[in-house]
DNA sequence: TTGGAAGTTTAGCATTTGCTAAATTATTTG
DNA sequence: CAAATAATTTAGCAAATGCTAAACTTCCAA
């Protein structure tokens, strides 16, 4: 009947936003880990589970388990008891993530919040910013003190 | 030794951002559910599991399970097989969430993205915006077409 | 008033993300 | 080189969030 159809269509439209958020959250962990592995490799030549655990504020065993999933996903390579390496897919994800993350952080700074707040808020916000919004932020930055 | 202390302190600083993100995500589900329950009550007099499931894009059983947790958390009241009511804590959370959500959405619009993008991106971003960033967004809105 | 549609709950399962404690391997130091 | 220390992995657990299928209750309409 007409009413049910209209109701269904409207709900379907609404639910799209929540589906996007759930998809963002599925990708989020991998993005943050891979970005941090790239940072560690650049800063000190290698990435180890302990450093990841320390920086993420989680237990070592949690990192180890996640490494297994990232390896299965083709983002990292790791021999038992050795340091972690990024695959080319991993490097691509890390660099895309860095660009996006840096842009969001700079945007928040330009908006007028403190360094600390920009650093903290951007860590969560970065994963929910669409290409269109990212572009709008870049445009804002270009106008205001980018 | 001095080096370990310095390294530990720096990692602790970094990990704070991730801890905030994890805390945000713990709160997120309750916030979205409660806000939607408030919307349904306002729009049609009552909130039922089926409508929540439709709008969230999840299965009915998922909503039912979440309702139990929200009841334990003191945010809703529900008799078996009846509609869902918000407690006063639930209403407070819903109204705070609405204000914040609406502000973020308006901010994105003012930044120049389309209605659709503002609607979708704000659904995720809203949960990671600190009080300070929210204030900065409000200030921006006051200057530009609020 | 009763039968069926619609809504709700339960049961049972899977995945992700976290934890602690114990076992194992690597590395450094005496 | 052997012992101590550090790092890593495994085992086993828990909570949150999702699913489908089956059972149960409510409500409307014939
Ligand atoms: Mn992040
Ligand atoms: Mn919301
Ligand atoms: Mn939301
Ligand atoms: Mn998020």
């Amino acid at each position: 009947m007409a009413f049910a159809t209209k109701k269904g269509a409207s709900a379907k439209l609404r639910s799209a936003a929540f589906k996007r958020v759930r998809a963002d959250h599925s990708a989020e962990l991998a993005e943050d880990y891979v970005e941090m592995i790239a940072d560690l490799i650049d800063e000190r030549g290698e990435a180890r589970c302990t450093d990841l655990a320390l920086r993420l504020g989680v237990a070592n065993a949690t990192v180890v388990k996640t490494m297994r999933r990232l390896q299965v996903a083709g983002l990292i390579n790791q021999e038992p008891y050795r340091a972690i390496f990024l695959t080319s897919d991993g490097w691509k994800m890390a660099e895309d993530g860095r660009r996006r993350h840096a842009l969001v952080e700079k945007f928040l700074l330009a908006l007028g919040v403190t360094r600390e707040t920009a650093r903290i808020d951007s860590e969560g916000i970065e994963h929910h910013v669409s290409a269109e919004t990212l572009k709008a932020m870049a445009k804002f930055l270009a106008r205001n003190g980018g």
Side-chain angles (χ1 to χ4, degrees), chain A residues 68-143:
Chain A
R68 188 141 327 143
R69 276 201 311 284
L70 295 190
Q71 184 143 32
V72 168
L75 294 166
I76 67 156
N77 273 131
Q78 189 191 22
E79 303 292 316
Y81 294 96
R82 301 275 98 140
I84 300 151
F85 297 93
L86 291 176
T87 64
S88 59
D89 279 4
W91 277 113
K92 179 167 172 7
M93 179 181 280
E95 270 149 20
D96 290 353
R98 277 170 168 176
R99 251 191 303 280
R100 194 193 52 192
H101 193 154
L103 208 156
V104 171
E105 190 168 348
K106 267 189 225 143
F107 171 80
L108 289 178
L109 274 174
L111 197 65
V113 306
T114 63
R115 270 192 185 314
E116 191 55 11
T117 296
R119 194 178 64 74
I120 292 187
D121 287 16
S122 67
E123 191 61 73
I125 291 174
E126 58 158 339
H127 307 280
H128 301 288
V129 167
S130 65
E132 190 194 337
T133 299
L134 200 65
K135 202 175 282 178
M137 288 180 173
K139 200 180 269 181
F140 176 87
L141 264 176
R143 272 182 277 118

